[in-house]
Amino acid sequence: MEKGVSANRVIVSVLTVLVLVPLAFLTVNSVLMTADIPEPSTEATVFGPDMPWVHLAAAAAVAVLLAVFRGQLARLPEKRLLTVGMTLVFVAGLVWVFTMRVETGADQYFVLEGAKNFLQGDYQAFREGGYFYAYPHQLGLALYFQPFLLAAGQNAWLWIQAANVLWLLLGFYCLQRITALLFGKREVTNAAVILMLLCFEILLYVVFVYGNVPAFGLGLLAVLLQVKYFKSRNTLSAVLSVAAAAGGVLLRNNNLVWLVAMLLFYLMDCVFERKKRSILFAVLLIGANIAAGGTVDLYYSAVTGIPVNGGVPKIAWAAMGLQEGPRAPGWYNAYIRTVYEDADFSGAEAALAAGESIKGSLANFAEHPGYAVRFFYEKVSSTWNNPDFQSFWISQAQDYSNIEHNRLSNSIYYGKASLLLKGFMDIYQSLVYLGSALFFLLRFKKIGREQLLPGIIFLGTFLFHLFWETKAQYAATCFPLLIPYAAYGWLELSGRVREHFARKWGTGRRFPKAPPGTRRRHKKAPAGEADAIFRLIYQL
């Protein structure tokens, strides 16, 4: 048993370091520089210097406020705060959807139009040169769109956006429950809820008629149910978790990273906890994902009478991820389409060409290491250091919306409110990265294996898009997974600051333990406490 525990600790420590490394880089990078897409029509990322002193001042303010008001945060009723938070998100989301009326464009349009044509008996998208012929991985999303098209017709896009609000609420609820189950501290859970309410970038995504938000909700539901299984060993939780994970992948292929992370934790549970059932659920997770995709393909093949094509080979996305482009290094540059067309829609020929492209890119990186550093630095920065994660662009880039016809929204997207909101998002992003890094650093020896699950999904997403084609929108639904860590990290730092202050300027005694259900009930801060804490942080 000791060997098993020791091995578990080693694995947890290694995984913790692996998560901490990109977090540390993103923290420093977000303080020193920022990325933006100033011209929506080009989607090109522009890099610029940030204002480090503003971020450091904000970090000091957060530490001071949490040190002073930690007790009040611990006394807030969790359920009431969650209910208020979800109500605010629900109202704000629906108001945004029905006020902005942002119509579809690009892939959103092609998937929705393809699903509409399918229902009308037009199967051109499934034939050579058609959208689904080249991108069959979008068929799961097309199937999801079909009920909306049947119910709302031409207005389906609007009701898909309204449904996004419900998926966002599901994600909000699941993230709160995940935080409570993993950490079991009311002040951490409450702080996470407050941080979620301030995560405006994910709220702006409700007008995105794509799989991002539904997959976000299903992915977090899958994680929540898996954590419940680890805590209670309830078989139903594990089975439902598998179903939710498979559904998330159907709607957004990027959720495969979530599925692989869950698979890893089932395997570790089997090895370190001797739970043989976890192997069964790992196999079920793989099988359900394959079966779900296969079932969708069979459905469309049966109805259209046209076998679903293999489409653009996946290796083409990896090749594109190692190329330059007009948007940013490693971003979409139309290579996947052109290489497929140049190969006369032969997947095998396109795969060979993509393989050669990858070899050429790697050889170029090896020959010019300075260029390689610049390439990957800009690729990572454009993906993870854009504070709004393209949440402005997804609306600004569309051909039609009510944004310019509404005074408030016009200000939010183009005017003074835009500057304020983007400035806030910039600071918020840095605080989340820094708080998360603090959690993994300050609690390094105390982190439990299951507590790493959201972090491993983040790590997997980071590594995946380091080599695969990338965009900031791909990180948008992964970034909120860091919120529980950020909440805990800032509370951990503020707690240490407060106790240091108590020993140095107070009675020298630690604060007494709080009754069950709260963390600590602190006495009212003495006069001058905030100034003393600020001086201490400045010294650190």
Side-chain angles (χ1 to χ4, degrees), residues 227-263:
V227 171
K228 281 190 173 183
Y229 164 72
F230 289 144
K231 297 292 184 181
S232 66
R233 298 300 167 183
N234 182 279
T235 300
L236 180 60
S237 294
V239 172
L240 293 176
S241 175
V242 166
V249 174
L250 271 182
L251 296 178
R252 197 75 181 97
N253 261 15
N254 295 52
N255 270 42
L256 270 171
V257 175
W258 298 50
L259 188 145
V260 171
M262 293 172 62
L263 178 65

Side-chain angles (χ1 to χ4, degrees), residues 96-103 157 395 399-410 413-414:
W96 199 249
V97 165
F98 288 102
T99 301
M100 296 303 98
R101 303 184 79 87
V102 180
E103 295 191 10
W157 58 272
S395 297
D399 293 331
Y400 179 79
S401 73
N402 273 358
I403 290 174
E404 295 185 4
H405 304 292
N406 182 288
R407 185 175 179 181
L408 175 61
S409 62
N410 191 48
Y413 280 99
Y414 301 106

